[in-house]
Amino acid sequence: MSAVAERCAPTPADAAALATPLAGLQRRPVAVFDAGIGSYAIVQRLQQCFAWLDLIYFADRASFPYGGKSREVLAPLIEATVARLGTWGASAVVLASNAPSVMVLEGLQAAGLPVPVRGVFPPVREALAASRSGVVVVMGVASLASSPEIQAYIRREADGRPVAVENASSMVDLVENGSFLSQPQATQRAVDAFMAELLRRHPGADVCTLSSTHLPWLQPFFERAAPQVRFLDPADSVVAELESFIGAAGQRAPGHAGQVLCVATESPDQPLSGLSDMLGRLGVALTPILVQPTVVGQPLGDKS
C-alpha cells in the first residue's frame, strides 16, 4: 500500500459506517466527487446513461469550496481524495469539478494515481464549432477564471482563436445556497442581470460553457435570460469518456439495477444536515453517510 493510500485508509469509525453499504454494491463502483452539490448533476447523468452502474457520490463538504482554493491547496487534496476513494473500491473516479480538473489533474496523473480519474473540462472545441459569431465564453468559478492553467488549456483547445472567461461564482452561489429552488423569481432576476452584463462585455456571444458543475442546474434560467445563446454542459464529454472506459473494463451489466451510495464529510459551515436538506429539496432519496475529513499530505511528486 502506498504512503498516500495508507494515510487515507478508513478510520475504524469510517470502516464500520461503510462496511455494509459498500458490501451491498454488486460491482466495483465508479466514484463521483466534488465539494458541493453541483456534482450530483453528474451522478444523475451517469444514472440516466448507465442505469446498471453502481456509483459512490462523495460530497466533500469539509473541503468546500474547491473553486476558492489555490493550486497548491488543491493538488494534495485531490490526490488524497482519489486515493481514499480507491480504498473504498472505486474502479474509476470522476473529479466532478472544473477548477481542479483544469488546475491540477494533469500533473497528478503524470505523477501517478491509484485509479483512473476523469476530470470535467470546459468544452472549448465544441463551443467554437457550435458558434456562428466566433464569440465564445467559458463561465466558471473565480479560481478557474483567474488561473494561468485555464488560459493554457484554452490555448491548446482553441487553436489560437479567442475565447473569453467569465467569473460566474455568484451564479454558483445560487445553487449552493438553494436559492434556485426556494426563490426562482429572484434567481431569474440575478441570472438576467449576470447575462446582460456578460453580453455587454462580449457582444455577439452565442455559445457559453457551463464550466462549474453547479451551473447546469441553472440552465433553464440562463436560457430564459439569453435565448439567443447556446449553453454547453461539460457532462456530455464525461459520459462519452466513461462509455469507453466501462466498455474496455468489461463493466457492463445491463440486467443489474445500479445503486448510488452517498458519502459526505462536514464542517461547521457545511453541516451534513445542509446536504440532506438540499438532496431532499431536489427530490433525491439518498441518506448521506458521514465520514471524517480527508487527511491531506504532500502532493505526488513533491519531495520537499
Side-chain angles (χ1 to χ4, degrees), residues 56-173:
I56 297 174
Y57 164 44
F58 181 42
D60 188 16
R61 307 296 288 166
S63 301
F64 180 83
Y66 286 171
K69 290 179 168 55
S70 67
R71 184 183 187 282
E72 291 71 25
V73 173
L74 282 171
L77 173 61
I78 299 306
E79 175 210 354
T81 304
V82 170
R84 187 179 198 185
L85 293 169
T87 70
W88 296 351
S91 61
V93 172
V94 177
L95 170 52
S97 179
N98 286 259
S101 293
V102 170
M103 293 168 67
V104 304
L105 183 55
E106 183 178 6
L108 292 176
Q109 288 173 324
L113 289 168
V115 293
V117 180
R118 279 19 181 205
V120 179
F121 296 90
V124 170
R125 288 184 185 271
E126 295 89 336
L128 286 166
S131 175
R132 294 183 176 183
S133 67
V135 183
V136 166
V137 181
V138 172
M139 296 171 11
V141 294
S143 62
L144 178 70
S146 63
S147 71
E149 290 83 5
I150 189 59
Q151 296 303 327
Y153 173 81
I154 288 173
R155 284 194 296 272
R156 291 197 305 270
E157 294 292 302
D159 297 325
R161 290 170 289 178
V163 174
V165 183
E166 281 289 327
N167 177 8
S169 291
S170 62
M171 299 292 96
V172 170
D173 291 342

Side-chain angles (χ1 to χ4, degrees), residues 11 15 32 38 44 47 66-67 89 131 133-134 137 140 150 157 170 182 213 215 242 262 275 287 290 295:
T11 65
V32 179
Q44 284 188 321
Q47 285 182 290
Y66 286 171
S131 175
S133 67
V137 181
I150 189 59
E157 294 292 302
S170 62
S182 61
T213 48
L215 294 178
L242 277 181
C262 180
L275 175 64
T287 301
L290 182 64
V295 178

Side-chain angles (χ1 to χ4, degrees), residues 32 34 36-48 55 57 96 175 212-218 233 235-236 238-239 279 282 284:
V32 179
D34 184 13
I37 192 67
S39 55
Y40 189 73
I42 300 287
V43 173
Q44 284 188 321
R45 288 293 300 277
L46 295 180
Q47 285 182 290
Q48 292 165 1
L55 297 165
Y57 164 44
V175 175
S212 162
T213 48
H214 291 73
L215 294 178
W217 293 108
L218 297 178
D233 183 351
D236 294 337
V238 175
V239 170
L279 290 172
L282 289 169
V284 176

Side-chain angles (χ1 to χ4, degrees), residues 232-278:
L232 298 187
D233 183 351
D236 294 337
S237 60
V238 175
V239 170
E241 287 192 25
L242 277 181
E243 174 74 35
S244 300
F245 168 78
I246 290 166
Q251 293 241 60
R252 299 182 184 280
H256 167 60
Q259 302 178 62
V260 179
L261 178 63
C262 180
V263 185
T265 60
E266 68 174 354
S267 70
D269 291 335
Q270 300 292 334
L272 190 69
S273 58
L275 175 64
S276 298
D277 177 67
M278 180 66 76

